[in-house]
Structure formats: structure tokens, C-alpha cells
Amino acid sequence: MTYLKSAYKNAGIHHKMILLIIVLMLVNFAVFAVILKYIFHIYDNQMYKKTSEVLNISSIGIENELRNIEKTTFKVTTDEQLQRYLLQLESETSPYTKMVLRKKITNRLIAFAGSETYVYSMVVIDKEGQVMSAGNREGIPQELHSTLSELADEYDGSNAWYAAGHSSLVAARQFKSFTDSNFTLNGLGTLAIRVRIDRIVADRVQTSGRDGQLTITDGKRMIYPETPLLSESDMQAELARKQPYGIATYSGGTFFAAQVKSSYTGWTYLHMTSFDDMFRHITIIKEIVSTIFVIMLLIALALGTRLSGSITKPIVQLIQNMRKIEKGDLDRLEEEALGPVPFSTQDEVGLLHRTYKKMIRRIRELINENVAKQLLLRETELKALQAQINPHFLYNTLESVNWLAKANKQDRISEMVEALAFLLRSAVSFEEQLIPLRKELDIVRSYVTIQKTRFDERLIFQLDVPEELMDAQIPKLTLQPLVENAIHYALEPQIEPCRISIVARVREGSLFLRVEDDGPGIAEGFLEKLHSGQVTTRGQGIGLANIQERLHLIFGAPWGMELHSESGTGTSIHVCIPYVKGDQGHVQGAVG
């Protein structure tokens, strides 16, 4: 089962679709076959029951006629004239008189036999064994006379039926003496009536001929017909079957048999119908349904194969093109790798091809753009290497100026040049993303040293940073641009001295830095421009928006910077970042 599941999963769409069509068709056919079989089963049961009902009605009709024959035997054996003639014949000794009496008996039998439809002949056998017969039909064979007389004596006045074979049925009854003058109930002779059982069956049974055959048997002899469908052994096997109806197969073929046993005669009425003849139409219908299903299955497979091919063939072509691209065939990417795609196709497969073609074109564009960017990057790197020469010249020049100032004992010039050189080296070095707060304050002091040369006593700079916070890691050039903004917007516009201070505190794992001044403050409209980054500082040109963006990129959105200012009261800028010491590694560990 696992192997089949794996094989199905790994099979192609074409084979899965064909298999799905076959399974659906087989399921539909199975459901249809079950429903059809159920309908045929109901039909068969109804037909079986109907056949049994017809057989019951037929047997009742036949036995009604046999009862009439029995009444006839009683009527004949109790006829007064026949009783008198037989009594006289028993006591008479004259041969001539006996002949006359027998002639009268024959005439009387002719009168009875002429009025009976289903009687071949009537025979009276007297005690001397002489036979008097009436009827112009086939008589009773002479060899049966003694047998019939013995049977009648055995039944002692009751009617007895005897199957003589070859569709011969005989009713026999003993004449009993019961006249007023001789009520002795002694036997006077035997009455035998040969019955036209074939005529009775023809008149009373509707299912005959090619529709089936009615068989009547007493269990030992065949009463009707002369030539049954079943052999003697098959007949015994059929009579031993317990079901009243069903399908049985014998040497003569397969038959549908329905039987009923008479409570009047004890005979078994058996109706045999050839199964092939009986169910010919049903068999034809089943064959037609099977043929139609096979045709529909072939048509469905043909249409499914065509539909599957219309889906899978373009996909296979697309896979082949992808493999060409995988091998690096990019020079003829759009011409050979894609292949022709009919523009009239508007289904999902056509859309997939067109989208894939657009994707390949976009890849070509991106490749071209990437090549151009690589060339530009190499050119930029070359220019950067060339540009490294300029700072070296500048540093060497500043060193010369510093040496000359010291030689001429110009201490302030030397101090300013050293501060400028340190500031330039710190500004152009981007090797470290985070630096200790101590280094950032050194950059700020160098910048303030340069500015004090310009503003002298007007610039009052103060630091309020505990020593234990000097190793805290902060982004490079975070405080220097803020001090530069304070000088530009607080110190320059006024003549009075301006105090600029830097305060650092730690609270709940966060490092709070504050740069504040006591300048004129910032107007509300100008404050909005600073928040949006529309105004940049002098010097390095790093605006407040740039600092805010760098803080967000390094530490995340919850951290950042806020600016507070009121006109005439000064300005303060608050920076809140995670407190990370120098020995705690990367900043990710502190941000969490």
C-alpha cells in the first residue's frame, strides 16, 4: 500500500488524470450496476411471484375440472339404470340377455360421454371382465383393465386417479349396489374414464408453449406432458428442492422452476421456463449497458488523454525550457529557452507561459542592471581608494601646521590643530558602529575646543557623566551633531554667553543622554522642520532625522530621540538607547 501511495504521488499529472477518469468511470459503473442489479432483483422477484401466482391459479383451474370429472364418475356409478342393468347382468344366465343388457349399458354410457368436454372415453368393466365402452375417442388399453379394477376395488367406491403414461389420465370408481331393492353396497363392476388432461391444461393454463412447460406428476409417474423438459433424475432432484421457486441448472439447461403441491390430489404442479428465453430481454439490456459503458469509458479516456495532454504538454515544454536556463543558456534566453507560445491560449497554462516569459525578460533586465551596478561599484571602489590619498595629505599638512605652531610657541593654534586632526580622523573612520561613550565625548571635546577658539568665553560647556558610564556603547557621532546644533541655533544668534551641557544617566537598563542649552529656543514652525529632517547641521551635515533613523536601525523602533524646546527658555534633546557596556558584546544582546 505504501508503494502504491508513493507511486501515485510521484506519477505525472497526465497519468493521475487518466487514473482518475478510470476510477470515476468504474465507480459510476459500479453504482449503476448495483442499482440496475437491485432493479432487476425486484423485477425477478415480482416475476417469480407472478409466475407462482399464475401456477396456483392454473392448478386450481385444472383441479376444478378434475373435481367435475370426479362428480361425473359419481353420477355415472350411482345412475339407477346402470345399477339395474349391472344387477340384472350379474344374475342373468342367458347369453342373449346379457348381450342386450351390455348394449343398454353402452347406450347409457354414450349418453353420459357425449355431454362431457374433457372425456376421451368411458369404460364399464363388469364382474365377468367384459368391457363396455362409449366415446369416439381413444379408449383405454386392454392391459389396464385389470389394474383399474383392482385400483377401484382398493378405493372401495371412492374415486381413484391413475396415470397411465403418455399423457393418459384415468379416473376409476367401483359400482356399489345401493338400489332400494338391493342396498348391499356390493361391487357390481368398475367405471373407468379416460380424461383429456392435455385439453384441460390448454384451456386452464396461460403459460405454455415457448413461454414454458407445465409438468404434472404424482411423484412416481408423469401425468402431463408426454415429453417433459427434465429427465427422470432431474425431475426427482427438482421435486426434492424446498424452495417454491428458483433457478436451477440441469442437463437440459438452466430453467426457472416454480412448483406447487395440490392438497386435493397430492400431485405436484411444476412450471419450467428456459432461463435464457425468460430473461432474454434482461440479458440484452445488460449487454447493451455493458457495451455503452465500455464505449463511454473509451470516449472518456480519449477526451481525458487529449485534455491531459493539452495541460501537461505545455508544462513539460516549460520544464525543458527551465532546464535549459538552469544550464546557463542565457544568451538566447527569450528566443530558444521559451519556445513558441500561442497567443490565442487564454487558459491557466497559457497565462503561466506568458507570466514565465515576462519573468525571464525581467531576469534579463535585472542581470543587466546587476552588471551595470557591479561596474559602478568597482568604479566607486577605485575612486574611494584614490580618495584615501586626500585625507593623508590633509593629516600630514595639519601635522606640519601643528609642528610649526609649537615651534613658534603658539599653544592655542597647536591645540586647535590637534583637535581638528582628531575630529577629522574620527569623522572619516567608519570601522566601528558602536563606540564607548568616552570616545564620543573625546570627539565632542575636540569639536568644542575648535569652537572655543571662535566664541571664547561665550561658549560654556559642561559635562555631567558619571565615570561608570564612560564604557557605555553608543552609536558614533550621536552627541557631536547635537552639540553642533546647539552652537548653531543657541549660541550664534545671541551675544550673551550660552551654556551647553551633556548629561548621562542609567535607569532600568536604559541609557538616557541629554544635550541641553539655555539659548533662545526654537520657534514651533522651525521645530517641525527639524523633526522632519528638512534642516541639517553645519560641519558633518548630519541632521536630527538622520540620527533618529540610525538609532532605529541599530536598536529598533522603541528607542530613539526626542527634542523639547520653547521659545526663550532653551532647548533639550533626549536620547534613549539600551544600556550596553563595552564587555557585553554586540548590541543585540542588550536590545533583546
Side-chain angles (χ1 to χ4, degrees), residues 225-241:
E226 183 175 351
T227 306
L229 290 175
L230 300 181
S231 64
E232 184 176 353
S233 59
D234 291 340
M235 180 62 69
Q236 294 301 324
E238 177 61 29
L239 293 177
R241 188 165 54 86

Side-chain angles (χ1 to χ4, degrees), residues 315-372:
I315 295 177
V316 171
Q317 182 183 4
L318 192 61
I319 293 174
Q320 293 175 352
N321 294 331
M322 288 181 176
R323 288 175 178 172
K324 290 181 181 180
I325 298 173
E326 184 180 1
K327 294 178 180 179
D329 188 10
L330 300 178
D331 294 335
R332 294 174 292 179
L333 196 60
E334 299 180 17
E335 293 78 9
E336 296 182 2
L338 285 177
V341 179
F343 291 98
S344 59
T345 303
Q346 299 298 326
D347 57 3
E348 289 81 358
V349 177
L351 179 61
L352 179 62
H353 268 272
R354 287 190 292 272
T355 305
Y356 179 72
K357 193 168 185 177
K358 293 179 180 178
M359 182 189 70
I360 294 301
R361 290 175 179 172
R362 180 57 181 163
I363 290 175
R364 168 60 71 186
E365 293 176 359
L366 293 176
I367 290 175
N368 294 335
E369 291 179 3
N370 186 53
V371 171

